[in-house]
Amino acid sequence: MTVNAAWNIVNFRRSVLNGLIAAGHEVTVLAPPDDSVTELARLGAAFVPLTMNVKGLNPLDDLKLLGTFKRHLRDERPDIVLSYTIKNNVFGALAAKAYGIPFIPNVSGLGTAFLSNGALRLLAETLYRRAFSKLPIIFFQNGDDRTLFVQRRLVHPEQGRLLPGSGIDLGQFAASDLPAQSKPTTFLMIARLLRDKGVVEFVEAARLIKSHLPETRFQLLGAAGSQNRSAIDLSTVQGWEREGVVEYLGTTTDVRPFIEAAHCVVLPSYREGAPRTLIEAAAMARPLIATDVPGCRSIVDEDVTGFLCAPRSANSLAAAMKRFLDLPQQARTAMGLAGRLKMEREFDQTIVLAAYNKAIGELTTRRQ
């Protein structure tokens, strides 16, 4: 399994990792090291450190990364590679082809390069087209991304398969009662603090709401100043705090207490694969507000499990928040419970594991 950060496997792919190990597979994680390496060992996975520039677009760095992948695959000689995140998908696929190793990428988001225009997007599409050529199975986390890749002739229709995100452990993320309506309504956004996640729009919408309802609370939970070209630095976030518009909660290894304390979870992202934070919040029976974009709209059923708003629009986001603020407690509770039922029906982690087991069986049979 290869990904651009070890924590990604621990936090988002744990159920797949546990299922593979339980089935008797030997699993090695190839990723840049971080504090999650010891947890991977505890779960039973081997770990190989991967040197890569996560956020850079330097062609020389990327050429070096391709060579690094080739060296690791030559040394490890895996029977199959499961890949996540953009650079690992692209350069891992190219390296695996060189050795005839079956490779299953998971397109969990398109990234800043793909969302841009001009030469950068053309380069991203060229790399995807070459890397994914002739791969029998490519997992997508929403139908919009799969359709886009087919329309742009990056993949053939028969290659793409849909997954419900990374799946969710419904026991770990159990439903909980909403906080009382007598308390100030709390809107919680959980994300890395990136412009592409809609953080600026969240803050601007908070200003609009607070000008009329100053007691309303707006919380941000996630890392600031991360290795991403659209990252928001900590000093900017601290300025918002001094202004009194948002509360910054920092980072955590367990989001559940923060979700439990919130009335509504918000993600005004510009585009997603299948946003984990919305899935976790819905599993805990929290109403959602998100942008009407690929990824988010596959999680939120308008007027049923939450509200959708226009992307890049603080006014539209504030209007959705106002709609939520006007709901009585009974309607808020019903919305949260509808989200929980949707997660049980469509996003259980057993669905994801079954899809991977089926794909691995198909590709290993082909090699025999």
Side-chain angles (χ1 to χ4, degrees), residues 178-241:
L178 282 176
Q181 196 164 19
S182 58
K183 295 183 178 180
T185 298
T186 299
F187 292 98
L188 170 66
M189 179 176 175
I190 309 171
R192 288 180 298 156
L193 302 193
L194 311 177
R195 296 186 186 279
D196 291 351
K197 296 292 184 183
V199 175
V200 172
E201 288 80 2
F202 180 79
V203 173
E204 290 176 353
R207 287 195 186 103
L208 292 171
I209 296 292
K210 277 183 166 289
S211 66
H212 301 287
L213 298 167
E215 73 280 3
T216 310
R217 300 176 68 186
F218 297 86
Q219 299 179 332
L220 283 170
L221 176 63
S226 63
Q227 289 191 5
N228 187 290
R229 282 168 292 127
S230 72
I232 295 170
D233 59 76
L234 183 58
S235 62
T236 299
V237 180
Q238 291 170 337
W240 293 334
E241 278 201 294

Side-chain angles (χ1 to χ4, degrees), residues 164-179:
S166 306
I168 185 73
D169 184 336
L170 293 165
Q172 181 183 11
F173 289 89
S176 65
D177 293 336
L178 282 176

Side-chain angles (χ1 to χ4, degrees), residues 33-177:
D34 54 39
D35 293 342
S36 300
V37 172
T38 53
E39 178 65 7
L40 288 171
R42 190 191 69 78
L43 293 171
F47 181 80
V48 174
L50 173 66
T51 301
M52 65 182 292
N53 184 345
V54 174
K55 68 175 181 177
L57 291 171
N58 186 318
L60 291 178
D61 284 346
D62 292 340
L63 190 61
K64 188 183 300 183
L65 179 60
L66 176 58
T68 301
F69 268 113
K70 284 184 176 180
R71 185 178 72 252
H72 284 304
L73 295 185
R74 183 191 64 226
D75 294 343
E76 296 295 325
R77 287 290 175 176
D79 296 301
I80 196 163
V81 178
L82 311 182
S83 177
Y84 309 87
T85 63
I86 297 164
K87 287 192 175 185
N88 301 68
N89 285 347
V90 169
F91 297 105
L94 293 171
K97 284 182 179 182
Y99 295 108
I101 298 171
F103 188 92
I104 303 176
N106 183 313
V107 179
S108 56
L110 301 185
T112 305
F114 205 97
L115 295 176
S116 63
N117 294 312
L120 198 56
R121 176 166 179 159
L122 180 61
L123 174 61
E125 290 189 355
T126 301
L127 288 170
Y128 271 123
R129 190 174 291 113
R130 179 167 296 183
F132 286 3
S133 172
K134 299 181 180 179
L135 292 183
I137 299 169
I138 301 163
F139 282 127
F140 291 88
Q141 297 200 355
N142 66 70
D144 291 289
D145 285 352
R146 183 175 67 174
T147 298
L148 178 61
F149 270 58
V150 171
Q151 289 175 341
R152 301 296 297 179
R153 298 184 179 179
L154 308 182
V155 301
H156 295 291
E158 63 273 12
Q159 290 176 282
R161 299 185 185 181
L162 281 179
L163 284 178
S166 306
I168 185 73
D169 184 336
L170 293 165
Q172 181 183 11
F173 289 89
S176 65
D177 293 336

Side-chain angles (χ1 to χ4, degrees), residues 293-305:
V293 297
C296 292
R297 59 172 165 250
S298 64
I299 311 299
V300 183
D301 293 339
E302 174 69 9
D303 290 325
V304 179
T305 69

Side-chain angles (χ1 to χ4, degrees), residues 278-351:
L278 294 183
I279 293 171
E280 291 172 345
M284 293 185 66
R286 287 300 173 270
L288 309 174
I289 295 176
T291 37
D292 189 6
V293 297
C296 292
R297 59 172 165 250
S298 64
I299 311 299
V300 183
D301 293 339
E302 174 69 9
D303 290 325
V304 179
T305 69
F307 299 126
L308 293 169
C309 63
R312 304 174 189 257
S313 172
N315 288 331
S316 180
L317 176 57
M321 291 173 170
K322 181 65 168 58
R323 288 177 68 192
F324 182 80
L325 287 164
D326 290 340
L327 290 177
Q329 184 78 345
Q330 184 178 5
R332 294 181 180 185
T333 298
M335 189 170 273
L337 291 176
R340 170 69 186 191
L341 289 174
K342 181 179 176 70
M343 295 304 104
E344 292 174 355
R345 187 173 62 249
E346 301 176 25
F347 288 84
D348 191 295
Q349 64 183 4
T350 58
I351 299 171

